[in-house]
């Protein structure tokens, strides 16, 4: 299977996920339809059920249980708003990605085709693992109530959300409530999975852009050092001017791609970090105060979401460093004076890397993730000491 075929397979998978919830924004003729409005309806219904559960809650633990899924709800809602606001840019980014990597190098050199194939294969593997984790989480959420009902004869709902006027201890009420909860779980799963896999697709391709740029830089450097008669010949000057123009265009593609990612995803990254922190903190407290099974699932899901975004943010930083090294190590001293000025401009651009930032915390990377977890742990241990004493 060619790299283009794998990329189109990945695109088909992401669009399939988005289509379930009515948000196939990679469709150039996208319009809101029944699926989109049904997603909005489920969100409104979730708010109604949450308010009803808060009003009927008995004690602080039940209040927190009713709010435990709130972080994921807020995350899905805000991601939906930001995605719809930038839907045209997502389509443009996807089209540019397809044309500047897969179509452009469809008949490229073996090195170029090899790095593209390797990177898209790794991307497919990553999304398979992510999908498996997400699907297993919803399976476990639904499995526990089924086990309690059939083997322990105890009625436990999937989520602690009560439908007004419905008695969960009746056969009808129990089945109806869990059916609604499954809708929430499945739609939440597809929403999170479509958003996160699309983020992986866009961010992970910065590796392909960088690897291709590296091939071009190294090839140019080898040719420069192998040419014996330099500087004074017109052919040499024309060769340098042509290659520098190609390198500048390739570098500009990387910068433009990163700029578009920053515009589309910086606000979403802030949402991701904030909602994951709230969910982790809230469910750590619930794990301490109750034996509710679902809190551990929320914890693991939030940790994974936060971690994968941090890893992909780190990946952007590493690729920026790699590009800077390529430019610094290039044999610029062999260039004609006119092209040295162009190279200085290229060097200036590499000193202003584009990164994902989380407002108030710093760049989105593994180091920030570690700092966030340290803050959560410190707050949790202080709260635990207060409760014990």
């Amino acid at each position: 299977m060619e790299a283009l075929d794998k990329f189109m397979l990945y695109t088909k998978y992401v669009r399939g996920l988005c289509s379930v919830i009515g948000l196939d924004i990679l469709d150039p003729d996208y319009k809101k339809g029944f699926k989109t409005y049904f997603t909005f309806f489920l969100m409104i219904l979730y708010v109604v059920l949450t308010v009803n559960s808060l009003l009927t809650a008995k004690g602080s633990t039940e209040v927190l249980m009713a709010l435990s899924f709130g972080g994921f709800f807020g995350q899905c809602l805000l991601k939906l708003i930001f995605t719809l606001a930038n839907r045209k840019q997502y389509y443009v980014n996807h089209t540019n990605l397809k044309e500047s990597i897969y179509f452009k190098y469809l008949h490229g050199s073996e090195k170029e085709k090899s790095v593209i194939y390797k990177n898209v294969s790794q991307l497919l593997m990553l999304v398979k693992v992510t999908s498996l984790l997400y699907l297993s989480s919803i399976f476990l959420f639904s499995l526990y109530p089924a086990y309690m009902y059939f083997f322990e004869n105890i009625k436990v709902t999937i989520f602690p959300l009560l439908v007004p006027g419905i008695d969960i201890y009746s056969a009808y009420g129990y089945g109806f409530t869990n059916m609604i909860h499954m809708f929430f779980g499945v739609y939440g799963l597809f929403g999170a999975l479509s958003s996160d896999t699309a983020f992986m697709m866009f961010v992970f391709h910065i590796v392909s852009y960088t690897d291709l740029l590296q091939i071009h830089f190294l090839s140019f450097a080898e040719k420069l050092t192998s040419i014996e008669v330099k500087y004074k010949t017109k052919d040499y000057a024309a060769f340098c001017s042509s290659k520098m123009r190609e390198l500048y265009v390739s570098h500009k593609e990387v910068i433009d791609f990163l700029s578009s990612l920053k515009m589309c995803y910086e606000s979403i990254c802030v949402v991701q970090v904030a909602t994951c922190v709230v969910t982790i903190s809230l469910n750590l407290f619930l794990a301490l105060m109750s034996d509710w099974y679902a809190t551990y699932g929320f914890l693991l899901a939030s940790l994974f979401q936060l971690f994968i975004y941090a890893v992909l943010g780190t990946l952007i930083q590493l690729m920026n460093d790699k590009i800077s090294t390529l430019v610094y190590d290039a044999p610029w001293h062999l260039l004609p004076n006119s092209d040295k000025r162009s190279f200085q401009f290229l060097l200036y651009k590499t000193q202003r890397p584009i990164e994902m930032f989380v407002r108030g915390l710093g760049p989105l990377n593994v180091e920030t993730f570690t700092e966030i977890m340290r803050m959560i742990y410190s707050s949790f241990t202080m709260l635990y000491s207060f409760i014990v004493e």
Side-chain angles (χ1 to χ4, degrees), residues 66-173:
L67 294 172
S68 59
F69 198 67
F72 288 106
F73 172 77
Q75 178 187 127
C76 291
L77 176 62
L78 292 173
K79 281 182 177 179
L80 177 64
I81 293 171
F82 290 130
T83 300
L84 287 175
N86 295 311
R87 63 183 183 277
K88 293 182 180 179
Q89 187 60 47
Y90 283 105
Y91 173 73
V92 170
N93 288 352
H94 181 263
T95 302
N96 290 341
L97 196 63
K98 184 167 56 177
E99 292 179 353
S100 61
I101 292 182
Y102 294 96
F103 286 158
K104 183 178 179 180
Y105 296 98
L106 191 60
H107 303 291
S109 67
E110 287 302 317
K111 281 186 178 180
E112 291 168 341
K113 290 192 289 187
S114 176
V115 298
I116 295 172
Y117 184 84
K118 179 195 70 175
N119 290 331
V120 74
S121 298
Q122 290 176 347
L123 178 60
L124 277 172
M125 183 58 67
L126 177 62
V127 78
K128 285 178 182 178
V129 173
T130 303
S131 300
L132 182 62
L133 287 171
Y134 279 42
L135 289 170
S136 61
S137 66
I138 196 67
F139 175 73
L140 291 174
F141 268 101
S142 59
L143 185 63
Y144 182 79
Y147 168 80
M148 294 297 290
Y149 181 78
F150 290 108
F151 293 95
E152 302 294 335
N153 199 27
I154 298 175
K155 292 179 179 179
V156 178
T157 57
I158 297 175
F159 300 118
L161 301 174
L162 302 177
V163 182
I166 299 296
D167 180 14
I168 65 168
Y169 295 104
S170 67
Y172 164 78

Side-chain angles (χ1 to χ4, degrees), residues 51-332:
V51 171
N52 180 63
S53 300
L54 291 173
L55 293 175
T56 58
K58 299 175 182 178
S60 59
T61 301
E62 289 192 6
V63 170
L64 293 177
M65 288 171 64
L67 294 172
S68 59
F69 198 67
F72 288 106
F73 172 77
Q75 178 187 127
C76 291
L77 176 62
L78 292 173
K79 281 182 177 179
L80 177 64
I81 293 171
F82 290 130
T83 300
L84 287 175
N86 295 311
R87 63 183 183 277
K88 293 182 180 179
Q89 187 60 47
Y90 283 105
Y91 173 73
V92 170
N93 288 352
H94 181 263
T95 302
N96 290 341
L97 196 63
K98 184 167 56 177
E99 292 179 353
S100 61
I101 292 182
Y102 294 96
F103 286 158
K104 183 178 179 180
Y105 296 98
L106 191 60
H107 303 291
S109 67
E110 287 302 317
K111 281 186 178 180
E112 291 168 341
K113 290 192 289 187
S114 176
V115 298
I116 295 172
Y117 184 84
K118 179 195 70 175
N119 290 331
V120 74
S121 298
Q122 290 176 347
L123 178 60
L124 277 172
M125 183 58 67
L126 177 62
V127 78
K128 285 178 182 178
V129 173
T130 303
S131 300
L132 182 62
L133 287 171
Y134 279 42
L135 289 170
S136 61
S137 66
I138 196 67
F139 175 73
L140 291 174
F141 268 101
S142 59
L143 185 63
Y144 182 79
Y147 168 80
M148 294 297 290
Y149 181 78
F150 290 108
F151 293 95
E152 302 294 335
N153 199 27
I154 298 175
K155 292 179 179 179
V156 178
T157 57
I158 297 175
F159 300 118
L161 301 174
L162 302 177
V163 182
I166 299 296
D167 180 14
I168 65 168
Y169 295 104
S170 67
Y172 164 78
Y174 183 69
F176 180 74
T177 302
N178 275 322
M179 182 187 70
I180 292 177
H181 290 182
M182 279 302 296
F183 270 113
F184 288 146
V186 170
Y187 267 72
L189 169 72
F190 277 102
L193 194 54
S194 59
S195 173
D196 293 349
T197 51
F199 181 69
M200 292 175 192
M201 175 179 69
F202 287 118
V203 172
F204 204 85
H205 274 90
I206 190 62
V207 180
S208 294
Y209 274 113
T210 306
D211 287 345
L212 291 169
L213 188 63
Q214 181 181 31
I215 291 172
H216 299 160
F217 262 101
L218 294 179
S219 175
F220 183 45
E222 288 176 3
K223 289 180 180 179
L224 279 184
T225 54
S226 64
I227 298 175
E228 296 182 359
V229 181
K230 300 180 176 68
Y231 307 119
K232 296 183 180 180
T233 63
K234 291 183 179 180
D235 290 341
Y236 180 77
F239 167 76
C240 290
S241 178
S242 174
K243 290 299 179 181
M244 280 301 300
R245 192 179 302 112
E246 290 178 9
L247 289 176
Y248 180 74
V249 169
S250 296
H251 184 264
K252 187 176 183 300
E253 285 181 347
V254 180
I255 298 302
D256 290 344
F257 182 68
L258 283 172
S259 299
S260 65
L261 283 184
K262 188 179 178 71
M263 182 183 74
C264 290
Y265 278 109
E266 191 162 49
S267 295
I268 288 180
C269 288
V270 174
V271 169
Q272 187 82 357
V273 172
T275 54
C276 285
V277 167
V278 170
T279 304
I280 292 170
S281 303
L282 182 59
N283 284 280
L284 273 175
F285 183 77
L286 276 171
L288 174 65
M289 299 299 296
S290 70
D291 57 355
W292 185 42
Y293 75 100
T295 190
Y296 301 101
F298 291 144
L299 273 174
L300 290 175
S302 299
L303 284 169
F304 177 78
Q305 281 192 312
L306 186 58
F307 180 70
I308 198 67
Y309 267 64
V311 168
L312 292 172
T314 303
L315 186 65
I316 293 177
Q317 287 188 326
L318 291 175
M319 294 303 105
N320 277 323
D321 293 341
K322 189 174 182 178
I323 292 171
S324 296
T325 302
L326 285 173
V327 176
Y328 281 125
D329 292 345
W332 58 270

Side-chain angles (χ1 to χ4, degrees), residues 14-69:
V14 174
R15 289 189 62 181
L17 293 173
C18 295
S19 179
V20 171
I21 57 176
L23 287 171
D24 186 12
I25 56 173
L26 296 183
D27 182 355
D29 301 318
Y30 168 76
K31 292 181 180 179
K32 299 184 186 72
F34 171 77
K35 294 179 181 178
T36 313
Y37 293 113
F38 185 70
T39 300
F40 292 149
F41 167 74
L42 285 179
M43 288 186 168
I44 296 171
L45 182 60
Y46 171 82
V47 174
V48 172
L49 266 59
T50 301
V51 171
N52 180 63
S53 300
L54 291 173
L55 293 175
T56 58
K58 299 175 182 178
S60 59
T61 301
E62 289 192 6
V63 170
L64 293 177
M65 288 171 64
L67 294 172
S68 59
F69 198 67

Side-chain angles (χ1 to χ4, degrees), residues 351-364:
Q351 293 173 343
R352 301 172 64 87
I354 298 173
E355 300 177 357
M356 295 289 183
F357 277 87
V358 180
R359 295 181 183 90
L361 290 175
L364 180 66

